[in-house]
Amino acid sequence: FVIPANGELEISVLDALVDAIVPGEAAILGMGAWDTSLPLVTRYRGRVHGWLTVGEPNLYEIPVATQRQWYADVKQADPGACVYANYYMAPWGPPHPECVDTTPGLSWDSVMVDYYPLHWGESDHDAASKLGSVIVATLRIFGTGARILPILQAAWNSQNIPGALRPISASEMV
């Protein structure tokens, strides 16, 4: 599971969540603003499976060079942890492809790609169909040797769509 360590949770709540991790379970801390998140790597080093650097850097047009520096910083602070990048992917490919690092070991060890079909109020059938297109586009970009985790994600306003999963708030996580 991914624990949001992006400023939404108090440090005492993060401590409690990390302390509750059962040995053998994998937890990933999702990072937010880089200047406030990097100290968390030192704080929780060796206690979590991995780190998710700032999500969807291609949507925020974060240069690949910056992403590679983040990766180097995390690997220096917690060399044994897996570093994940999470790129937004549309059925036709990634927005701002120049901001997608396609080479493992420079910005990420495993890559997540997400698509928000419920955000747009699509049917389950259409969402699943478009996720298939997202996977094909992802394989074209990253190749078959990369560890890719496709994520079909519900966006914040999906709770207004009948039958959609309701995202939980930070206070409901504890």
Side-chain angles (χ1 to χ4, degrees), residues 105-124:
L106 297 176
S107 291
W108 49 268
D109 298 313
S110 290
V111 67
M112 298 178 186
V113 294
D114 64 22
Y115 173 57
Y116 291 80
L118 297 176
H119 179 77
W120 309 112
E122 296 175 348
S123 71
D124 289 345

Side-chain angles (χ1 to χ4, degrees), residues 5-23:
N6 55 6
E8 292 180 27
L9 301 175
E10 299 287 332
I11 196 72
S12 61
V13 174
L14 281 175
D15 285 343
L17 288 169
V18 171
D19 288 344
I21 297 170
V22 175

Side-chain angles (χ1 to χ4, degrees), residues 15-143:
D15 285 343
L17 288 169
V18 171
D19 288 344
I21 297 170
V22 175
E25 288 187 356
I28 301 166
L29 260 61
M31 304 168 87
W34 198 246
D35 58 338
T36 58
S37 293
L38 193 54
L40 296 175
V41 178
T42 303
R43 182 180 188 97
Y44 299 118
R45 176 183 31 238
R47 297 175 62 198
V48 297
H49 165 73
W51 301 94
L52 172 60
T53 58
V54 177
E56 302 175 337
N58 57 319
L59 283 184
Y60 297 103
E61 299 181 57
I62 297 171
V64 168
T66 301
Q67 297 172 53
R68 289 180 176 183
Q69 184 60 55
W70 292 343
Y71 176 87
D73 291 346
V74 172
K75 282 300 198 180
Q76 181 177 7
D78 194 358
C82 185
V83 177
Y84 295 85
N86 176 33
Y87 295 105
Y88 176 77
M89 188 73 66
W92 54 88
H96 306 290
E98 72 281 3
C99 296
V100 175
D101 194 350
T102 60
T103 307
L106 297 176
S107 291
W108 49 268
D109 298 313
S110 290
V111 67
M112 298 178 186
V113 294
D114 64 22
Y115 173 57
Y116 291 80
L118 297 176
H119 179 77
W120 309 112
E122 296 175 348
S123 71
D124 289 345
H125 178 269
D126 289 346
S129 172
K130 287 186 179 177
L131 184 61
S133 297
V134 166
I135 292 169
V136 169
T138 300
L139 290 173
R140 266 197 319 264
I141 291 166
F142 293 102

